[in-house]
Amino acid sequence: TDARQALGVRSIVDDSNFYDQLKLLARFTRLAGYGGLLVCLDEMVNLYKMASGRARNTNYEQILRILNDALQGSADGLGFLFGIVRGALLVCVAYIAVSWVWAERSSQAN
């Protein structure tokens, strides 16, 4: 695209690779001698209010990916602080719980 040519880069950070770029930035932060990178995501209630179910589920899946990486230790030096109200939190947790159960059942079936 024109932006890539103008900037002289191979890729541009977008929704699909944003989290991977944050993990890379956290690695650079550690190499610079800091303990890591803390990312604050506030107003997450807006995920709950999204009109598009597809976009909402895509964002929930990214949150699930972040939580999985944190629990498995694959996001070294990267921390997240989520700002969310109770109603939205319950919906988000329910979605994540259903996703985990579904993944567990799928892995047991194979």
Side-chain angles (χ1 to χ4, degrees), residues 14-108:
D14 59 11
D15 290 345
S16 65
N17 63 6
F18 181 74
Y19 177 58
D20 294 322
Q21 297 299 322
L22 276 178
K23 290 196 303 189
L24 182 61
L25 183 61
R27 286 187 196 152
F28 285 134
T29 304
R30 296 283 303 245
L31 288 173
Y34 294 95
L37 181 68
L38 179 63
V39 178
C40 300
L41 299 175
D42 197 9
E43 298 293 332
M44 290 189 57
V45 69
N46 291 316
L47 294 178
Y48 175 69
K49 294 179 179 179
M50 290 179 91
S52 169
R54 182 176 180 198
R56 186 173 48 252
N57 287 340
T58 301
N59 283 292
Y60 285 157
E61 288 170 8
Q62 285 298 321
I63 294 168
L64 178 61
R65 181 177 173 211
I66 290 168
L67 293 175
N68 281 334
D69 283 356
L71 292 172
Q72 295 170 1
S74 61
D76 189 38
L78 182 59
F80 281 89
L81 180 64
F82 297 105
I84 189 166
V85 297
R86 184 178 303 153
L89 176 64
L90 294 176
V91 171
C92 187
V93 168
Y95 177 83
I96 289 170
V98 167
S99 297
W100 275 336
V101 168
W102 185 260
E104 186 64 28
R105 285 185 180 172
S106 296
S107 68
Q108 289 177 355

Side-chain angles (χ1 to χ4, degrees), residues 1-14:
T1 65
D2 294 336
R4 284 189 186 137
Q5 291 173 354
L7 294 172
V9 297
R10 285 187 268 175
S11 65
I12 300 222
V13 177
D14 59 11

